[in-house]
Amino acid sequence: MPKLKTHSGAKKRFNLTKTGKVKRAHAFKSHLLNGHGKTTKRKRGLRAGAYADKTNEFAIKRMIPYK
């Protein structure tokens, strides 16, 4: 039986919940944090995690089969 390759980048970026949903971090949260960038309210909203879209869920689960 051949080895099943995983994507180590995806393994770090996504988590599976107990119900089987894929949890991810918000995008665009690390750039322009001070000065003329994002407001405090917007940055606070980006802290929380989000769920991956249903259309991408199958592909993400294939990248992280053992998680």
Side-chain angles (χ1 to χ4, degrees):
M1 183 185 221
K3 282 186 186 177
L4 188 62
K5 290 190 175 183
T6 62
H7 295 265
S8 59
K11 193 169 38 173
K12 295 172 190 173
R13 288 176 176 84
F14 300 109
N15 286 324
L16 290 177
T17 62
K18 290 182 181 181
T19 59
K21 291 183 179 180
V22 178
K23 195 165 186 181
R24 64 168 176 83
H26 273 285
F28 310 115
K29 76 173 192 178
S30 64
H31 186 67
L32 294 176
L33 297 179
N34 299 339
H36 302 302
K38 298 175 180 66
T39 63
T40 306
K41 184 177 180 180
R42 187 169 171 198
K43 289 186 285 188
R44 192 181 311 122
L46 291 173
R47 279 186 215 150
Y51 292 110
D53 193 49
K54 293 274 184 194
T55 56
N56 298 328
E57 206 169 88
F58 179 72
I60 294 170
K61 284 182 180 179
R62 277 191 6 195
M63 286 192 276
I64 50 171
Y66 300 121
K67 200 160 189 182

